[in-house]
Amino acid sequence: MAFDKATPDVELSGSVESVVYRNAANDYTVIELATEDGRLVTAVGALPYVGEGETVRLFGTWTHHSEYGEQFSVTAFEKELPSTAADILRYLSGRNVKGIGPVTALKIVNRYGDDTFDVIENHPDWLADIPGISAKKALEINESFREQTGIRSLMMFCKSHVGSSSVTRIWRRFGPGAVGILQKNPYLLCSEIDRISFERADAIAESLGFPKDHPLRLAAGIDYVLRYNAKMNGHACLPREHLLDGAAVTLSVPRASLEALLPSLVSDGRLASYGDLIFTSENGSDEAYVAEKLSLLDRGAPTVSVPDVDRMLERLESEGGITYCREQREAIYEAFCRGVLIVTGGPGTGKTTVVRALMRMFRILGFSVALAAPTGRAAKRMSEATSEEARTIHRMLEMERVGEGRPIFKRNESQPLEEKVVIVDEASMIDLPLMAALLRALGRTSRLILIGDASQLPSVGCGNVLGDLISSGAFATVSLSEIFRQEKGSHIITNAHRINHGEPPLLFRDSKDFFFLAREREEEIPETVLDLIRDRLPRTYGDGIRDGIQVITPSHRGRSGTESLNLLLSEAMNPRTKRKKQIKFRDTVFCEGDKVMQLRNNYDLEWEKGGVSGVGVFNGDIGQVLRIDPASEELTVDFDGRLVVYHTAELEELEHAYAITVHKSQGSEYPVVIVPLYACGPMLQSRNLLYTAVTRARQMVILVGRRDVLSAMLANDRQVRRFTCLADRLRAK
């Protein structure tokens, strides 16, 4: 066949001459393919169970590798098992079937010839007639072969709709009966397999003849609308009318048909409800559990007498030469009187001082204490501030799940945490599923102390947990307002509090840490950001300052959004040289030394840190590309000491992080923060978004952009509503 390198979705057929490389973790494979017209082609991609001697049909595009030249990048494939004795021998000799090597392959083919595959699949007991093959081994060979034939059928079933890497995950989820299961309900693909959209499952259903008003389609469409709004808009639930209207538009069906189906979906547990609000079953269960468990904890924790607290406070003040203010003392007293405490406050208001005091006092009384935070960077900051070990919530709960869906934690109701007091920082970042998981790991007499800043943005995930707990009035909540941590001549903390109150920041010519560079023309904003990073800041503070700069911008889109700025800044902050290896994925070129960010929770990615291994890299984690191996097309990222290896198929989860959105910056601090202020969506021009960006800086803040945008953000104190019922559930307790 002719090789049209300009045509996408090229089809290529031939015989697999050799398997050059295979990554067992993600099935990324490099093969040499002898094509029908006699050429030898290198093909790369997710090719599970493809072995030497097989005839395959590949679908994909031609690419050019910087070191290895022309390659065929596979997006999907079909395969046929060899049919002649000679080809079968070659295939089995390549160890493509577990339990069969070259010697055993020769014995089997000599005995059964062209019928070998039929014997292996349908008469495995016959294999035991061959010397060296026991009955047990014969069954193992049969299972391995049936797995391969099953996944081949699954490939054919999913072709043109789902990529080969997803087919592997489908197989692992549903096993040998996958095709039969999906023929009955193809919508299981979008509800139970990560990263397969409703649209793709719907396309498969249409090819199978499912009508638009099929109950399975309607149920899946309703579920999809709920999950989409949870992921994109943070809603834990939706009002019944909103849900029905949205699903009717999405599915192009009459609203009445959805309205008739909805009660049965709730009654059989596929959905949940609270009043007129509808949840996915998981979110409904989580929210009900969070309300119930928090109420139980608040009542169940043992109290400590006020005189004992007074004596300990006097001791701490005497030994440390410190005097706790009224609000701090109130927070400390409440911690010993209640099982649940919320402490909020802006930067510099003494939250860490309260945490240190509580840790010492609880330990004096013999209570064990655990410190945790939602992200690795937030946990690291907590450790540095308290001089005690702080862990991510996922690590504290001992996440162990690998596979599709939600993570599984070792620490739960049957194996709770040993610590009797758990203090969590950056609590505004905790979403509903994570809060439910945390509470399942707390014993009935444990204490939970949540530390956070109620003025920051809510969690990236669904729910508004911290905000709902505060607004419910169900728990002791202490707001710290007096500013303690303020270096002489510093304006960051002062201006952060002014922004939070809707007041313009104070700008002084002699300021050393807070600047506003007015740029009224939008095209000037990215140019100024680049100039600051490339020239102005290094000229004044030295080249080393570049490593501490983080650009934090409201949006992905626009001239000053992350997409444009990362293209602009990657060269300035990590100049490309011949020594630095590179790898291209779609339109993005990753280079050794690049700052990158993980875009979604991936509970399967393995990491290694100082000889300790684990799993899980999370949405918003920022690291640096340590090395690139062009031979295996692997990229190693260092996430604060955790080394994670990505293969080509996984690079869709990474993007450059020289510029990140404000939402992604939550829980982190950076020496220098540059914030572009430009015209973007009205919801992103808000006071709490600007406040969150400014409070990410430790040493310097530089605002670059339009005065009218700054004024609009200060004036916009409207919080985007998230549909939840948690506050109502708590008030009803």
Side-chain angles (χ1 to χ4, degrees):
M1 62 179 291
F3 296 162
D4 183 0
K5 301 174 182 58
T7 304
D9 300 323
V10 175
E11 180 181 320
L12 203 60
S13 296
S15 173
V16 179
E17 289 294 302
S18 65
V19 177
V20 179
Y21 171 84
R22 171 168 283 135
N23 184 324
N26 56 24
D27 294 313
Y28 180 87
T29 307
V30 179
I31 64 171
E32 287 187 330
L33 184 77
T35 64
E36 292 174 338
D37 65 353
R39 295 195 186 189
L40 193 63
V41 170
T42 299
V44 300
L47 297 165
Y49 303 106
V50 167
E52 293 178 10
E54 287 188 287
T55 299
V56 294
R57 185 157 56 142
L58 309 179
F59 304 90
T61 57
W62 288 101
T63 62
H64 186 84
H65 191 283
S66 58
E67 187 168 340
Y68 298 103
E70 185 178 74
Q71 296 180 338
F72 189 76
S73 180
V74 180
T75 56
F77 74 96
E78 301 170 359
K79 67 175 185 172
E80 298 176 5
L81 288 174
S83 56
T84 66
D87 288 339
I88 292 171
L89 176 61
R90 181 169 172 240
Y91 174 75
L92 293 178
S93 297
R95 301 184 185 277
N96 295 304
V97 176
K98 186 178 179 181
I100 300 180
V103 174
T104 304
L106 183 60
K107 292 179 182 178
I108 297 173
V109 175
N110 280 343
R111 175 73 66 91
Y112 298 114
D114 293 352
D115 297 324
T116 293
F117 285 154
D118 178 61
V119 171
I120 292 175
E121 183 170 11
N122 300 310
H123 308 286
D125 52 309
W126 295 3
L127 296 175
D129 294 338
I130 297 174
I133 300 180
S134 64
K136 181 181 178 183
K137 185 175 181 180
L139 287 176
E140 290 176 350
I141 291 171
N142 170 261
E143 288 175 5
S144 176
F145 184 77
R146 287 176 68 87
E147 183 174 352
Q148 294 201 36
T149 56
I151 202 166
R152 188 170 75 251
S153 299
L154 184 60
M155 287 277 185
M156 295 294 291
F157 177 80
C158 294
K159 73 173 184 177
S160 78
H161 295 295
V162 175
S164 53
S165 59
S166 295
V167 170
T168 306
R169 302 204 317 275
I170 296 167
W171 174 264
R172 289 170 181 163
R173 170 63 184 86
F174 297 114
V179 172
I181 291 169
L182 296 176
Q183 283 175 333
K184 293 178 181 177
N185 185 3
Y187 295 102
L188 291 173
L189 288 170
C190 57
S191 63
E192 298 197 25
I193 306 295
D194 289 345
R195 288 171 285 170
I196 294 184
S197 66
F198 172 80
E199 290 81 6
R200 292 201 174 191
D202 202 32
I204 292 175
E206 184 179 5
S207 70
L208 293 171
F210 277 67
K212 284 188 176 295
D213 60 352
H214 194 288
L216 289 176
R217 182 174 188 267
L218 302 184
I222 291 173
D223 184 73
Y224 164 73
V225 171
L226 287 169
R227 292 181 188 279
Y228 177 86
N229 276 277
K231 179 180 179 180
M232 303 304 295
N233 302 316
H235 298 310
C237 53
L238 286 177
R240 181 176 178 276
E241 298 304 308
H242 283 48
L243 174 60
L244 291 172
D245 289 342
V249 172
T250 299
L251 298 171
S252 301
V253 297
R255 189 178 185 278
S257 58
L258 296 165
E259 198 166 5
L261 180 65
L262 191 58
S264 65
L265 296 178
V266 173
S267 63
D268 66 15
R270 282 184 283 176
L271 299 178
S273 66
Y274 186 86
D276 197 42
L277 291 159
I278 308 297
F279 298 75
T280 62
S281 58
E282 300 97 330
N283 286 344
S285 174
D286 282 346
E287 194 177 88
Y289 181 85
V290 168
E292 185 66 34
K293 186 63 175 284
L294 284 171
S295 299
L296 182 67
L297 290 177
D298 202 38
R299 298 189 301 265
T303 60
V304 178
S305 69
V306 171
D308 287 340
V309 177
D310 283 334
R311 283 192 293 271
M312 286 188 292
L313 270 175
E314 289 174 6
R315 174 180 167 182
L316 262 60
E317 289 182 329
S318 174
E319 291 177 353
I322 186 174
T323 300
Y324 298 105
C325 74
R326 179 188 60 78
E327 293 167 344
Q328 290 173 322
R329 297 178 77 90
E330 180 187 357
I332 292 167
Y333 281 114
E334 291 287 3
F336 289 95
C337 296
R338 305 284 291 271
V340 177
L341 169 66
I342 301 166
V343 180
T344 71
T349 56
K351 298 190 295 294
T352 301
T353 301
V354 171
V355 172
R356 290 197 198 103
L358 290 175
M359 289 169 57
R360 287 202 59 190
M361 294 169 74
F362 277 119
R363 285 173 177 166
I364 289 171
L365 294 171
F367 290 91
S368 52
V369 182
L371 301 182
T375 67
R377 293 213 166 197
K380 184 178 180 181
R381 285 175 50 212
M382 196 180 191
S383 295
E384 293 168 349
T386 61
S387 300
E388 299 276 351
E389 182 192 17
R391 295 169 288 176
T392 64
I393 297 174
H394 287 84
R395 184 180 164 212
M396 181 176 70
L397 301 185
E398 298 179 34
M399 186 186 73
E400 62 177 3
R401 178 218 155 271
V402 176
E404 302 297 325
R406 290 187 173 194
I408 293 173
F409 300 99
K410 281 187 181 179
R411 296 295 180 171
N412 50 40
E413 289 174 311
S414 62
Q415 191 180 354
L417 294 166
E418 287 85 6
E419 291 87 355
K420 294 302 180 183
V421 180
V422 175
I423 304 175
V424 182
D425 198 11
E426 295 288 354
S428 64
M429 299 180 65
I430 304 176
D431 62 19
L432 179 60
L434 188 57
M435 177 57 82
L438 172 61
L439 292 174
R440 289 188 180 98
L442 298 185
R444 288 173 174 262
T445 58
S446 298
R447 276 183 166 82
L448 177 63
I449 299 170
L450 301 174
I451 313 294
D453 187 342
S455 298
Q456 289 191 24
L457 296 170
S459 59
V460 174
C462 72
N464 184 25
V465 175
L466 183 63
D468 285 347
L469 300 192
I470 294 171
S471 65
S472 73
F475 309 108
T477 301
V478 179
S479 179
L480 306 179
S481 57
E482 187 174 343
I483 299 175
F484 295 95
R485 177 170 55 86
Q486 174 94 338
E487 294 182 12
K488 186 176 180 181
S490 171
H491 299 105
I492 294 177
I493 292 176
T494 297
N495 282 334
H497 285 274
R498 288 180 64 85
I499 289 169
N500 197 29
H501 291 102
E503 301 169 357
L506 298 173
L507 304 172
F508 301 97
R509 286 185 175 274
D510 61 347
S511 179
K512 297 179 181 179
D513 65 357
F514 200 101
F515 306 93
F516 175 54
L517 305 182
R519 298 292 185 271
E520 301 308 321
R521 290 168 46 223
E522 296 256 328
E523 61 269 23
E524 293 180 309
I525 298 173
E527 294 171 1
T528 302
V529 171
L530 177 61
D531 185 47
L532 283 166
I533 294 170
R534 186 177 54 195
D535 299 318
R536 292 174 63 175
L537 290 174
R539 190 186 311 130
T540 304
Y541 301 99
D543 289 340
I545 196 172
R546 286 197 187 97
D547 294 334
I549 297 172
Q550 182 61 61
V551 179
I552 300 177
T553 186
S555 174
H556 292 292
R557 304 285 187 257
R559 289 186 174 183
S560 296
T562 59
E563 294 175 358
S564 296
L565 284 177
N566 275 318
L567 287 173
L568 186 67
L569 300 178
S570 57
E571 177 64 33
M573 298 186 76
N574 183 34
R576 275 54 176 148
T577 66
K578 290 184 178 180
R579 285 188 170 186
K580 294 179 181 177
K581 295 183 176 67
Q582 300 181 25
I583 188 170
K584 185 176 182 181
F585 179 75
R586 295 175 182 163
D587 295 328
T588 303
V589 177
F590 295 103
C591 177
E592 289 177 335
D594 272 345
K595 182 191 287 189
V596 293
M597 179 171 61
Q598 175 75 14
L599 296 177
R600 58 180 290 273
N601 290 342
N602 188 323
Y603 305 109
D604 298 332
L605 280 174
E606 298 177 353
W607 53 261
E608 186 274 331
K609 181 178 182 180
V612 177
S613 60
V615 295
V617 183
F618 304 107
N619 186 359
D621 284 357
I622 291 180
Q624 185 178 41
V625 177
L626 197 62
R627 57 181 170 267
I628 293 173
D629 183 354
S632 60
E633 295 199 341
E634 290 178 339
L635 179 149
T636 302
V637 180
D638 182 350
F639 291 102
D640 288 326
R642 292 177 302 146
L643 302 185
V644 181
V645 177
Y646 290 78
H647 215 286
T648 304
E650 296 157 333
L651 293 183
E652 65 180 2
E653 299 184 8
L654 287 179
E655 72 177 10
H656 287 127
Y658 299 106
I660 63 176
T661 63
V662 180
H663 285 84
K664 296 286 190 181
S665 74
Q666 289 175 265
S668 299
E669 276 190 352
Y670 310 93
V672 180
V673 168
I674 299 175
V675 186
L677 302 178
Y678 60 100
C680 54
M683 290 190 300
L684 297 174
Q685 293 188 29
S686 67
R687 185 188 303 174
N688 67 338
L689 189 138
L690 179 60
Y691 172 78
T692 301
V694 166
T695 54
R696 300 306 90 208
R698 287 198 304 267
Q699 299 170 11
M700 186 185 301
V701 173
I702 306 175
L703 307 179
V704 181
R706 290 167 43 176
R707 296 180 189 275
D708 62 326
V709 171
L710 174 60
S711 298
M713 295 181 85
L714 292 170
N716 181 11
D717 193 30
R718 291 173 295 177
Q719 302 285 333
V720 177
R721 182 184 178 187
R722 289 190 170 189
F723 290 113
T724 72
C725 300
L726 183 56
D728 290 337
R729 291 182 198 262
L730 289 167
R731 293 188 195 103
K733 293 295 179 183

